[in-house]
Amino acid sequence: MLKNKVAVITGGGSGIGRATAVLFSHQGAFVFVLDKNADTAQNAANEIEREGGRAAAVCVDVASSEDVADAFDRIRRETPKIDILVNSAGIYLYKTATTLEEEEWEACLNVDLKGAWLCSKYGLPLMVGGGGGAVINIASTHAVRAQAHAFPYGVAKGGMLSLTLSLAVDYGQNGVRANAICPGLVFSPMSDEYFALNRQLNPEQLVSMQPLRVRISAEDVANVALFLASDMARCVTGATLFVDGGRTIFSGIRHGS
Ligand SMILES: NC(=O)c1ccc[n+]([C@@H]2O[C@H](COP(=O)([O-])OP(=O)(O)OC[C@H]3O[C@@H](n4cnc5c(N)ncnc54)[C@H](O)[C@@H]3O)[C@@H](O)[C@H]2O)c1
C-alpha cells in the first residue's frame, strides 16, 4: 500500500511509533525513524532492515527547533520528498492546574504539541514539493474527554487536534491530507510504565469499561495510521479516528445486564 513512499515517524523507537514504522516498511515505505532515544531508534531501523525493509534512524528531540531543523536537513540530503509524517513522539504528565509547575507545562506541551508543529513546519515543504502527502497526528482520547488529575496532557492533545485542522485547511490545496488518531488505552511501554507507577489502577478493569473489551495494541493503532497514510483515504482530511474500543462514546451507564 505504500510502495515508493517515504515516511517520517517520530517516536519511532517505541510503542505506537515503532509498530507504525514496522508496518509501513512491510507495506513498501522507506522509513525515517525519529526518536530522542538513539538506541531504540537504531533498534527499530535495524529490525526493519533485518526483515528486508529500508530505514534510517535519526536521533532528535522534537521539542528542540534546532534538532528538528537538523533532522529534516539530513532527511532532505537523502531524499527530495517525503510522503508521510506521523507525529507519535509523546510524553504524559498528569497533575492539576494548581499543582503543575511552569517548567512541567513547558516540558509536556513542548514535546506533545510544539514537537508536532515543528515536525510539520520542517516536514511540510518536503511533502508539498513532492506533490502532497499525509500527516497523521497521534493525539489521545484525553483531547476530547477529561480524566481527573491528567493536566496538561489533555491540553496538549487537544491542541494536536486543532493543529490537524489547520494543516488540513492550509495545505489541502497542496495535496496534503492531515488527520488525527485518538487512541484510548494502548498496551505499550508508556502504559506499562504508567501502571507500574499507579498500582491502584487495574488495566483489565479499564479494558472492561470499553464496549469492545479488547486489549488495544500499538499495532491496532498502526493499522489505522496505515489507512490514513494510504490512497484508500485519499478524500479524508481533518478527521479524527478513535482507536479506543468505543470507550469515548460510551456514557458508562448500562441498563439491564
Ligand atoms: N499508550 C497509550 O495508552 C496512548 C494512548 C493515547 C495516546 N498515546 C500517544 O501515542 C504516542 C505514542 O505513545 P506510546 O504508547 O507509543 O509511548 P512510548 O513511550 O512507547 O513511545 C513514545 C516514544 O516517543 C519518544 N519521545 C519522547 N519524547 C521525545 C522527544 N522529545 N523527542 C523525540 N522522541 C521522543 C520516546 O523515546 C518513545 O520512543 C504518544 O504521543 C502518546 O501520548 C498513547
Side-chain angles (χ1 to χ4, degrees):
M1 281 166 89
L2 303 180
K3 208 161 170 258
N4 298 324
K5 303 283 189 197
V6 178
V8 175
I9 301 178
T10 75
S14 176
I16 293 168
R18 186 177 185 125
T20 305
V22 170
L23 178 65
F24 282 17
S25 156
H26 288 164
Q27 293 294 321
F30 183 103
V31 182
F32 285 97
V33 179
L34 273 56
D35 207 291
K36 190 176 178 176
N37 185 326
D39 291 340
T40 57
Q42 192 57 56
N43 285 345
N46 291 347
E47 179 187 340
I48 287 171
E49 295 202 323
R50 262 198 315 276
E51 292 175 357
R54 292 169 309 139
V58 184
C59 180
V60 54
D61 176 357
V62 297
S64 153
S65 53
E66 214 177 5
D67 262 29
V68 176
D70 286 351
F72 279 92
D73 269 352
R74 174 179 159 194
I75 292 168
R76 194 182 301 110
R77 285 196 297 275
E78 295 189 27
T79 176
K81 55 119 192 177
I82 67 169
D83 304 285
I84 302 159
L85 167 65
V86 179
N87 286 308
S88 187
I91 54 171
Y92 67 87
L93 212 157
Y94 289 173
K95 287 204 156 185
T96 64
T98 51
T99 57
L100 188 80
E101 300 298 338
E102 189 176 352
E103 313 81 72
E104 294 173 318
W105 165 275
E106 281 168 5
C108 182
L109 272 286
N110 283 353
V111 177
D112 291 355
L113 182 55
K114 191 176 96 175
W117 163 60
L118 286 173
C119 291
S120 305
K121 176 178 169 65
Y122 290 101
L124 278 166
L126 281 172
M127 207 176 261
V128 169
V135 179
I136 296 148
N137 288 325
I138 308 298
S140 165
T141 52
H142 284 247
V144 298
R145 203 162 190 262
Q147 289 185 16
H149 295 243
F151 183 88
Y153 181 70
V155 176
K157 295 302 189 178
M160 271 187 115
L161 296 191
S162 187
L163 169 71
T164 306
L165 300 186
S166 286
L167 298 181
V169 168
D170 289 342
Y171 298 95
Q173 63 196 341
N174 303 107
V176 174
R177 298 182 295 104
N179 293 290
I181 295 176
C182 286
L185 168 59
V186 177
F187 288 83
S188 75
M190 180 185 276
S191 51
D192 288 349
E193 180 197 277
Y194 177 73
F195 287 120
L197 292 172
N198 295 277
R199 296 206 172 271
Q200 78 285 5
L201 288 175
N202 177 349
E204 301 314 322
Q205 193 187 355
L206 296 179
V207 170
S208 76
M209 291 161 76
Q210 300 167 185
L212 293 176
R213 293 173 188 186
V214 289
R215 285 170 63 94
I216 302 168
S217 67
E219 288 73 20
D220 289 314
V221 182
N223 285 332
V224 176
L226 173 61
F227 163 68
L228 290 173
S230 76
D231 289 342
M232 287 178 70
R234 72 182 198 96
C235 302
V236 181
T237 197
T240 299
L241 296 185
F242 287 80
V243 184
D244 66 346
R247 182 67 186 94
T248 306
I249 51 91
F250 180 38
S251 71
I253 299 171
R254 290 181 193 277
H255 297 281
S257 53

